[in-house]
């Protein structure tokens, strides 16, 4: 490789921590990343169109569980992080990392409009020597097909004048062990110089960087990871349905299989999948393959099984009430946990929302409690507020449904007060008394 003068200049700035970093999108991915780079000594500008977020960041207040305010505040006070809701000054940034949402359309096709909008906003500020990195999960080809033409439209060449890479985020909200810094970072550039530049930048803040040969490979790696989870959760959900038919306890079956020290990995059944990743990302891959006339069969099947689980929960709830000579219509159902995941408040795509709506559609009077989410958006965007977790509310319910297994719940007390419990996560496994009231998924 001949010497690339733009790389040399960028390298000097990165190594001396004088490189200025911009992070577009200050959500679950962007804010922890901003903190990590600031912690490593870089000055970071966060760009987010949501003024509530930029105001909170500038006040040093975190709204993301994995970033404590006590960690953010000193970085803001020392001028290492600041946030803005516009793209002015992007030309002064040496590296711009994009972490905007990548949802699905109703048709389950990718919606990359947020990526396109952020690139359109960055485009007028692009200059030689900059490094642009996409972090949003997307289909293989996005970085080359969507970002590269925008960057090169002014006559600059990627790999020669400026650098472009894809690096998937692997943040696992609520994970105490693995956070942004100690989770290895995959990096794939448009050219070898691009990979080198991006790997060098991440290497300053992240413990381990794993370079790959192309942006497409890096995009595919993320989709393999999340498809792996979606398919295995789909498999174990189907195993749960099989165990129900066979009259077996699926949890005992999983615990037993997990004693095998090799060749088996534990996944759990549950009320369905949620969050911004597992229900959506595999469809990005399936869509891309459809354009190549290939059907991603595992993805479709897993999506069908996982998407069906809220209905399974409602069927089980109906059966429990039926046993007690009660109809769903008019029954009082108290749902515990509406976040899609234990110990987080993230309700995006949460199966709890489907469970609640399906129960309401059958005429049940549904209340809910979640220590991390005090309100949800019900049907037609209506905001529904949570109820307190009191003995009185538990006793008043015909059925308590545990949808999210938050660690802070006192399951002994819940089972003691509840008349009947449907436990979709085996959260009550440690409860000794009142087991006769519990039905597991
Ligand atoms: N949340 C996770 O656990 C996770 C994990 C790995 C990867 N990802 C991926 O990372 C990406 C971001 O996810 P997230 O969970 O951080 O989303 P998020 O919704 O929490 O944050 C995205 C932010 O981008 C902002 N935004 C939207 N359009 C913008 C624009 N044009 N300019 C500036 N800001 C804009 C939004 O206001 C929001 O604050 C997605 O592609 C997601 O699939 C998420």
């Amino acid at each position: 490789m001949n010497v690339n003068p733009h790389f040399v200049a960028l390298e000097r700035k990165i190594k001396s921590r004088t490189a200025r970093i911009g992070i577009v999108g200050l959500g679950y991915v962007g804010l922890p990343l901003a903190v990590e780079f600031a912690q490593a000594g870089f000055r970071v500008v966060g760009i987010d169109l949501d003024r509530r977020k930029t105001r909170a960041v500038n006040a040093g207040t975190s709204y993301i569980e994995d970033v404590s305010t006590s960690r953010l505040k000193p970085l803001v006070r020392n001028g290492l992080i600041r946030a803005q809701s516009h793209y002015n000054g992007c030309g002064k940034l040496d590296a711009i990392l994009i972490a905007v949402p990548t949802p699905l359309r109703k048709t389950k096709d990718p919606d990359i409009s947020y990526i396109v909008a952020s690139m359109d906003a960055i485009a007028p500020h692009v200059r030689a020597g900059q490094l642009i990195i996409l972090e949003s999960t997307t289909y293989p080809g996005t970085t080359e097909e969507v970002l590269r033409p925008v960057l090169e439209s002014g006559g600059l060449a990627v790999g020669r004048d400026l650098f472009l890479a894809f690096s998937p985020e692997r943040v696992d909200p609520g994970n105490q062990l693995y956070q942004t810094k100690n989770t290895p970072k995959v990096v794939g550039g448009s050219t070898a110089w691009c990979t080198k530049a991006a790997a060098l930048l991440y290497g300053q803040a992240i413990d381990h960087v794993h370079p790959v040969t192309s942006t497409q490979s890096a995009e595919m790696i993320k989709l393999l990871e999340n498809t792996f989870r979606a398919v295995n959760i789909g498999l174990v959900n189907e195993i749960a349905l099989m165990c129900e038919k066979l009259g077996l306890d699926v949890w005992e079956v999983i615990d037993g299989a997990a004693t095998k020290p090799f060749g088996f990995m534990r996944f759990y059944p549950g009320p369905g999948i949620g969050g911004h990743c597992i229900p959506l990302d595999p469809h990005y891959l399936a869509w891309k393959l459809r354009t190549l006339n290939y059907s991603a069969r595992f993805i479709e099947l897993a999506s069908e099984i996982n998407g069906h689980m809220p209905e399974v929960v409602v069927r089980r709830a109906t059966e429990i009430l039926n046993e007690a000579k009660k109809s769903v219509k008019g029954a009082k159902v108290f749902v515990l946990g509406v976040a899609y995941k234990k110990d987080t408040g993230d309700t995006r795509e949460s199966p709890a929302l489907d469970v609640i709506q399906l129960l309401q559609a059958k005429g049940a009077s549904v209340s809910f409690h979640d220590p991390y989410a005090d309100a949800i958006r019900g049907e037609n965007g209506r905001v529904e507020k949570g109820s307190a977790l009191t003995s009185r509310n538990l006793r008043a319910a015909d059925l308590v449904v545990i949808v999210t297994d938050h660690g802070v719940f006192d399951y002994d007390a819940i089972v003691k007060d509840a008349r009947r419990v449907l436990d979709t996560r085996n959260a009550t496994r440690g409860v000794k008394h009142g087991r006769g009231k519990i039905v597991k998924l």
Side-chain angles (χ1 to χ4, degrees):
M1 271 161 103
N2 293 330
V3 175
N4 178 319
H6 290 300
F7 177 84
V8 173
L10 184 62
E11 182 181 38
R12 198 176 320 115
K13 284 185 181 180
I14 290 174
K15 287 190 171 164
S16 63
R17 303 287 194 273
T18 53
R20 293 194 56 195
I21 300 173
I23 295 188
V24 178
L26 291 171
Y28 287 88
V29 169
L31 188 60
L33 204 58
V35 165
E36 232 40 83
F37 277 111
Q39 198 89 54
F42 290 92
R43 280 170 68 202
V44 180
V45 180
I47 300 172
D48 200 299
L49 300 183
D50 184 342
R51 283 172 195 273
R52 282 171 308 177
K53 287 190 178 151
T54 54
R55 267 201 298 268
V57 169
N58 287 332
T61 311
S62 175
Y63 42 85
I64 299 284
E65 286 121 17
D66 292 339
V67 175
S68 66
T69 290
S70 60
R71 201 166 166 224
L72 178 63
K73 203 164 231 135
L75 298 171
V76 174
R77 203 184 297 132
N78 295 337
L80 288 167
I81 297 186
R82 70 178 176 78
Q84 60 185 46
S85 55
H86 54 78
Y87 285 75
N88 298 345
C90 273
K92 295 202 185 94
L93 299 171
D94 299 292
I96 302 177
L97 282 53
I98 303 166
V100 294
T102 42
L104 289 177
R105 298 187 191 285
K106 279 211 156 46
T107 52
K108 298 221 160 120
D109 287 353
D111 173 5
I112 59 161
S113 60
Y114 295 90
I115 297 179
V116 171
S118 57
M119 280 310 291
D120 286 347
I122 291 168
H125 306 277
V126 168
R127 62 158 171 85
Q130 277 181 323
L131 166 63
I132 312 291
I133 306 174
L134 180 62
E135 291 238 355
S136 301
T137 307
T138 183
Y139 58 84
T142 309
T143 309
E144 293 307 311
E145 294 157 20
V146 180
L147 276 70
R148 190 170 182 155
V150 176
L151 294 178
E152 294 189 326
S153 61
L156 298 172
V158 163
R160 186 191 66 197
D161 305 316
L162 79 173
F163 308 100
L164 173 63
F166 181 82
S167 178
E169 184 46 60
R170 287 170 157 167
V171 81
D172 181 18
N175 191 324
Q176 300 297 320
L177 189 57
Y178 289 106
Q179 303 208 324
T180 304
K181 185 169 170 39
N182 63 351
T183 304
K185 198 95 173 83
V186 167
V187 175
S190 291
T191 68
W193 283 117
C194 297
T195 307
K196 234 174 130 127
L200 179 70
L201 180 71
Y202 285 118
Q204 312 303 310
I206 312 280
D207 293 346
H208 182 73
V209 178
H210 180 83
V212 295
T213 55
S214 65
T215 55
Q216 292 93 332
S217 182
E219 288 160 340
M220 186 65 179
I221 286 167
K222 174 71 184 176
L223 294 178
L224 167 60
E225 292 166 12
N226 284 1
T227 301
F228 172 82
R229 279 193 66 74
V231 167
N232 278 289
I233 295 168
L235 171 65
V236 83
N237 275 332
E238 190 171 42
I239 295 286
L241 297 175
M242 293 176 187
C243 283
E244 187 193 353
K245 290 259 178 224
L246 294 166
L248 296 171
D249 180 341
V250 66
W251 306 95
E252 186 185 71
V253 169
I254 295 166
D255 284 346
T259 59
K260 187 181 176 191
F262 47 85
F264 182 81
M265 188 183 255
R266 203 188 263 270
F267 283 85
Y268 296 107
I273 50 177
H276 188 351
C277 296
I278 309 301
L280 313 188
D281 300 349
H283 290 288
Y284 270 69
L285 186 54
W287 173 85
K288 178 71 187 179
L289 269 302
R290 271 203 301 281
T291 69
L292 301 172
N293 215 9
Y294 183 91
S295 162
R297 287 159 289 171
F298 272 112
I299 293 176
E300 303 298 347
L301 183 59
S303 168
E304 186 191 318
I305 294 171
N306 292 331
H308 176 62
M309 290 313 287
E311 283 168 43
V312 173
V313 174
V314 172
R315 172 173 60 74
R316 300 297 293 270
T318 309
E319 288 163 4
I320 296 167
L321 290 167
N322 192 45
E323 276 295 303
K325 300 190 174 60
K326 287 186 182 297
S327 63
V328 180
K329 195 173 184 136
K332 286 194 178 122
V333 181
F334 195 18
V335 168
L336 297 186
V338 288
Y340 84 92
K341 189 177 178 195
K342 179 180 178 162
D343 300 340
T344 79
D346 191 349
T347 60
R348 292 177 298 179
E349 314 287 329
S350 175
L353 309 181
D354 289 337
V355 168
I356 289 172
Q357 277 176 21
L358 288 167
L359 285 167
Q360 286 172 335
K362 284 181 178 291
S365 158
V366 186
S367 51
F368 73 86
H369 172 83
D370 192 307
Y372 304 107
D374 51 12
I376 53 170
R377 264 191 201 284
E379 225 168 348
N380 308 327
R382 205 178 56 236
V383 174
E384 294 180 27
K385 284 204 148 296
S387 305
L389 182 58
T390 59
S391 294
R392 197 177 157 170
N393 284 342
L394 285 165
R395 284 201 196 108
D398 296 303
L399 177 65
V400 171
V401 184
I402 298 169
V403 174
T404 318
D405 49 343
H406 289 310
V408 294
F409 283 144
D410 179 346
Y411 293 105
D412 287 299
I414 289 167
V415 174
K416 183 167 163 280
D417 285 330
R419 284 191 244 174
R420 299 163 198 93
V421 177
L422 171 57
D423 181 359
T424 68
R425 305 270 192 180
N426 201 17
T428 55
R429 63 169 68 207
V431 172
K432 296 261 180 318
H433 302 291
R435 290 219 65 88
K437 300 182 196 175
I438 305 170
V439 173
K440 292 188 289 185
L441 186 77

